[in-house]
Amino acid sequence: MQKPQIYKIYINEVEVILKPSANVTLEDTVSSGSLVVKYTGNKKHLLDYISILEKSIKSEKLIIHFEDFIKLKTDFKSHFTEIEAGGGLVQNEKNEYLFIYRRGSWDLPKGKIESNETKREATLREITEETGVKKMTIIHKLLVTRHTYRSNVGRRIIKKSHWYLIDAKKQALTPQLDEDIERVEWMTLERFFSKKRQVYPNILEVIHTQDTKELISKVQIKID
């Protein structure tokens, strides 16, 4: 079966979806909080949308469609440099998951894939560096998320993160302070969602793979 043509990415916490015009549904056009626009074929117009979203603090969905999906996706990505990262949803024998707290938001350990390593090698290395956890086993891949940010010199970056479900024994934790990680904690999902926390929506997507929709509805999405 052919995979549906869709490209999803978060820009300033706004969910942006690129898709072929033929795949735009009635639900897309009437969904509350969604804006549906047709691409004109002019790359500058895409840059205008990107610039507006970067300045916006509204957490809404933008759907951009075009007859030629490949051109739409190619033109959109031409405004960015893409880097790839590996990250993990790490669980222990007590059904607790590994969370980090950095720069005012709860997150999951992840980091850039170096040129000399595989996605899985980078994921395990980054988790150890950021949290101190060792002797992990990758169970399976969960999903891929994408979000944008600006580099130190103002370059627009797409971070494409490959996420894995990982098993590890409960063990002592050491936050990587030089990466601004203030805390590392093992928590059950019930405890994690028992109070409001600031969490990026792409991280919620990863956690949602563990059937946590009802719990996630209680969380405060970070939009600043």
Side-chain angles (χ1 to χ4, degrees):
M1 182 181 294
Q2 187 177 9
K3 288 182 67 175
Q5 290 182 302
I6 187 171
Y7 182 84
K8 182 164 77 169
I9 189 167
Y10 289 96
I11 301 178
N12 192 24
E13 315 321 314
V14 177
E15 182 181 5
V16 179
I17 295 177
L18 311 183
K19 58 168 46 180
S21 295
N23 291 359
V24 176
T25 66
L26 179 61
E27 183 181 353
D28 290 333
T29 59
V30 301
S31 177
S32 176
S34 292
L35 177 63
V36 181
V37 297
K38 184 173 182 179
Y39 178 39
T40 63
N42 184 336
K43 287 200 292 186
K44 182 183 180 302
H45 292 164
L46 287 177
L47 184 59
D48 291 340
Y49 290 131
I50 292 165
S51 298
I52 291 170
L53 291 175
E54 288 174 337
K55 298 169 186 174
S56 170
I57 60 170
K58 293 182 179 179
S59 184
E60 298 178 342
K61 180 189 292 185
L62 173 64
I63 298 172
I64 306 174
H65 64 94
F66 192 56
E67 290 86 354
D68 186 343
F69 175 71
I70 300 301
K71 174 176 171 56
L72 170 59
K73 182 178 173 182
T74 301
D75 288 356
F76 179 87
K77 292 179 69 175
S78 71
H79 296 296
F80 298 88
T81 298
E82 184 175 83
I83 66 169
E84 294 194 90
L89 183 61
V90 184
Q91 61 181 18
N92 65 27
E93 72 277 14
K94 297 182 180 295
N95 205 30
E96 296 170 322
Y97 292 85
L98 186 62
F99 294 95
I100 64 174
Y101 184 76
R102 170 167 44 194
R103 299 170 192 147
S105 183
W106 286 94
D107 205 340
L108 297 171
K110 68 179 181 300
K112 184 179 177 182
I113 301 169
E114 302 297 342
S115 59
N116 63 339
E117 52 185 2
T118 67
K119 299 179 183 71
R120 292 177 174 231
E121 288 170 343
T123 297
L124 297 177
R125 173 184 57 76
E126 285 288 346
I127 293 171
T128 298
E129 290 178 359
E130 292 192 345
T131 70
V133 171
K134 301 176 181 177
K135 295 182 179 178
M136 295 168 282
T137 302
I138 292 178
I139 301 172
H140 58 77
K141 190 167 185 176
L142 292 171
L143 75 166
V144 172
T145 65
R146 300 174 182 85
H147 71 277
T148 69
Y149 66 93
R150 291 288 192 114
S151 71
N152 293 336
V153 295
R155 181 178 298 143
R156 288 185 171 91
I157 306 292
I158 291 174
K159 179 175 278 189
K160 179 180 179 181
S161 299
H162 302 265
W163 294 98
Y164 298 88
L165 182 63
I166 296 171
D167 185 65
K169 295 293 185 183
K170 187 167 185 177
Q171 53 194 279
L173 303 173
T174 305
Q176 189 177 17
L177 299 178
D178 60 359
E179 286 292 328
D180 297 329
I181 300 174
E182 299 173 43
R183 294 159 62 188
V184 184
E185 291 191 37
W186 292 108
M187 283 187 273
T188 63
L189 295 179
E190 288 75 16
R191 180 186 161 205
F192 185 77
F193 290 111
S194 65
K195 65 179 182 179
K196 286 188 175 182
R197 301 178 192 270
Q198 299 216 53
V199 187
Y200 291 107
N202 59 313
I203 298 301
L204 290 179
E205 275 197 34
V206 180
I207 302 171
H208 183 48
T209 61
Q210 302 306 103
D211 296 326
T212 59
K213 188 173 183 179
E214 185 175 341
L215 293 170
I216 284 176
S217 66
K218 302 175 183 177
V219 81
Q220 176 180 334
I221 296 177
K222 181 177 175 64
I223 59 173
D224 58 355

